Every structure is written in structure tokens, then in C-alpha cells.
Amino acid sequence: TFTADVMGTYVATLVVNDGIVDSQSVAQTRITVAETNMAPVAVPVATPASSATAVVISLDGSASTDINRDKLTYQWMITTWPGGGAAPAMTPPNGANAQVSFMPTALGIYVATLIVSDGQLSSAPATVAVKIGP
């Protein structure tokens, strides 16, 4: 066995020795070492902000990472909200930016879920909860 420390192509050759003489090379194998794509990691952050007329919750996933340094895409969803009915709308509307926001529609706990993708693999869902009210 060996551990490759650099990406590239390696050639392995088998030579047998009986204690006196080496055999001729009986096998040659090419081994290509390439970077393995790893799933990115979603890191959601919520920041509530109030104005005189409304509360806006800002969600930020820009701290999410990909060890392979691939470009990330973002998928935000409000997965838990109080009061029934439809989930609060996101701004921008499709929740596909690193930074989105929403306006709570009732008092209670809101849970936002973030999944990031590097185009091949997606992160595990990561959540952030925000409590609105006392």
C-alpha cells in the first residue's frame, strides 16, 4: 500500500525476489489519483431586525463552505412557522441566494432550513430557529 501525497498518475510495478535474484517485472498498473468531491457544509445564520412597522428576519448562508472550493448554490426554505397557512414569503422570492429575508406573520417559532449544493453534491439540511414574541 501507499498513500499518494500529490494528485496525478502513478505506475506500480511488481518484481519478486527469491532471496538471490529479482524476477522480471510481471505486472504494471497505472493508478490515477484525483480529488474526491466532498459535500459542502451549510451554515445558516438568522438576524432579526425591527422597524417601527415590521420585523424582518435576515437569513445568511454565506458562511457555508465547500472543501473542494466549488461554487455553491443556496436553497432556503421556511420549514416550521406558527399560525398555519402558507409559509412566509422569502425575498428574493425563490430563496436561492446566500442572503434572503422574510417577514414573520405571527408570534411563535420560525425554523429556516438551508441546503447548499456544489453542483454535484448537496449538504445535509441545516436549520436556524427564530422566536418572535415573548
Side-chain angles (χ1 to χ4, degrees):
T1 65
F2 81 102
T3 302
D5 59 350
V6 176
M7 290 185 281
T9 301
Y10 294 82
V11 177
T13 303
L14 176 62
V15 175
V16 180
N17 182 290
D18 65 1
I20 300 171
V21 172
D22 287 344
S23 71
Q24 291 186 5
S25 173
V26 293
Q28 193 174 65
T29 303
R30 288 187 164 291
I31 303 165
T32 301
V33 178
E35 185 174 65
T36 301
N37 189 33
M38 304 294 289
V41 177
V43 180
V45 176
T47 307
S50 312
S51 70
T53 58
V55 172
V56 175
I57 305 299
S58 296
L59 302 170
D60 189 347
S62 60
S64 300
T65 60
D66 183 70
I67 196 165
N68 305 104
R69 299 163 306 281
D70 296 323
K71 183 177 188 223
L72 296 177
T73 59
Y74 302 83
Q75 179 186 5
W76 282 102
M77 301 157 281
I78 304 295
T79 49
T80 304
W81 62 94
M90 295 250 183
T91 303
N94 63 3
N97 292 15
Q99 298 172 331
V100 297
S101 62
F102 72 95
M103 291 179 64
T105 55
L107 297 179
I109 295 176
Y110 293 78
V111 177
T113 300
L114 174 62
I115 298 173
V116 294
S117 173
D118 65 7
Q120 295 178 20
L121 297 173
S122 294
S123 69
T127 61
V128 61
V130 177
K131 182 179 179 184
I132 304 298

